[in-house]
């Protein structure tokens, strides 16, 4: 009986430990994709994972995320026309004062010192998505803590991440995907000490929203010319060796 109780207790402790280590979604430092359709007032938010891990992985080649069960084309948006869908990506770390936002341009500056307001609003969206305990959440855009309300200003600041951008560069419409085009954005990073008016973001990765419902992330770092030369040299040596053989 005693041994049985010990075994049951050990099992309970193991279960508790595993639960504690379970994947948590919509946390600080996680890259969030939001796709919304204003005609049905619905947004679909997907946690793509830790933004720094994604950036690191992309250095080895393009990474596809948020597909399959996490596709933005599932659920309510399954019947939406691509021309009715808009997409944006963002991440925040309030403690470290780090901010990542997408832009459809190759360079992006911020309008004014918006760290406090913008980080708080992003945290609000994470707070409304997280309780679902799933990586993809469907939410009514009328919710006071939705992306649409907090960062698009209920339609008054679309694509500006509150008032962080002066121009609506933060979002892109997905209409181009219907005709074989692409929807490509750049993810920029700001560290709080440089969050002053006109501060330029550091480009991190290129993000493509795919017609299949997923997201492809690729590095902006080009392969150094020296590596191309080294590769060409190695291929030349292989060719010479084969001729000799």
């Amino acid at each position: 009986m005693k041994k049985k109780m010990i075994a049951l207790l050990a099992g309970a402790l193991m279960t508790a430990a595993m639960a504690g280590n379970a994947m948590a979604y919509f946390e600080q430092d996680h890259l969030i994709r939001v796709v919304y359709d204003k005609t049905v007032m619905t947004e679909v938010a997907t946690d793509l994972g830790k933004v720094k891990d994604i950036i690191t992985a992309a250095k080895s080649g393009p990474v596809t995320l948020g597909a399959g069960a996490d596709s933005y084309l599932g659920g309510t948006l399954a019947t939406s026309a691509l021309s009715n869908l808009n997409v944006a990506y963002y991440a925040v770390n309030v403690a470290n004062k780090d901010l990542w936002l997408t832009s459809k341009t190759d360079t992006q500056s911020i309008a004014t010192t918006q760290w406090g307001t913008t980080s708080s609003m992003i945290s609000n969206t994470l707070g409304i998505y997280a309780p679902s305990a799933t990586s993809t959440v469907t939410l009514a855009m009328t919710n006071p803590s939705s992306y649409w309300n907090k960062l698009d200003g209920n339609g008054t600041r679309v694509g500006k991440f509150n008032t962080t951008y002066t121009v609506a560069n933060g979002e892109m419409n997905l209409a181009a995907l219907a005709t074989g085009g692409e929807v490509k954005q750049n993810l920029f990073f700001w560290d709080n000490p440089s969050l002053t008016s006109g501060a330029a973001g550091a480009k991190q990765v290129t993000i493509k929203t795919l017609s299949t419902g997923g997201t492809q992330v690729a590095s902006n770092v080009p392969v150094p010319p020296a590596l191309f030369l080294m590769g060409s040299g190695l291929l030349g040596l292989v060719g010479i060796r084969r001729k000799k053989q």
Side-chain angles (χ1 to χ4, degrees), residues 215-236:
T215 293
Q216 185 186 81
V217 183
S219 176
N220 283 308
V221 181
V223 178
L227 289 182
F228 283 115
L229 291 173
M230 184 169 64
S232 299
L234 289 172
L235 288 173

Side-chain angles (χ1 to χ4, degrees), residues 16-32:
M18 290 176 68
N21 291 326
M23 177 66 179
Y25 299 108
F26 297 102
E27 293 192 316
Q28 305 281 314
D29 258 338
H30 284 216
L31 182 62
I32 310 304

Side-chain angles (χ1 to χ4, degrees), residues 92-109:
V92 70
N93 185 311
V94 175
N96 292 341
K97 299 181 179 179
D98 294 334
L99 182 65
W100 294 264
L101 303 173
T102 45
S103 173
K104 60 185 178 183
T105 59
D106 288 329
T107 60
Q108 183 62 55
S109 298

Side-chain angles (χ1 to χ4, degrees), residues 12-136:
L13 290 172
M14 180 65 72
T15 300
M18 290 176 68
N21 291 326
M23 177 66 179
Y25 299 108
F26 297 102
E27 293 192 316
Q28 305 281 314
D29 258 338
H30 284 216
L31 182 62
I32 310 304
R33 177 186 70 198
V34 175
V35 178
Y36 69 80
D37 183 345
K38 195 168 65 172
T39 66
V40 293
M41 289 302 288
T42 299
E43 63 186 45
V44 175
T46 301
D47 185 333
L48 300 177
K50 291 185 178 180
V51 64
K52 292 180 181 178
D53 291 347
I54 293 170
I55 293 170
T56 299
K59 291 178 181 178
S60 300
V63 179
T64 300
L65 305 162
D70 288 319
S71 168
Y72 65 83
L73 294 173
T76 306
L77 301 187
T79 57
S80 292
L82 289 169
S83 58
N84 288 335
L85 300 180
N86 277 25
V87 64
Y89 299 80
Y90 59 89
V92 70
N93 185 311
V94 175
N96 292 341
K97 299 181 179 179
D98 294 334
L99 182 65
W100 294 264
L101 303 173
T102 45
S103 173
K104 60 185 178 183
T105 59
D106 288 329
T107 60
Q108 183 62 55
S109 298
I110 56 174
T112 55
T113 306
Q114 287 294 315
W115 167 254
T117 303
T118 302
S119 62
S120 175
M121 289 185 171
I122 290 177
S123 294
N124 286 155
T125 67
L126 299 181
I128 198 65
Y129 299 145
S132 68
T134 58
S135 53
T136 294

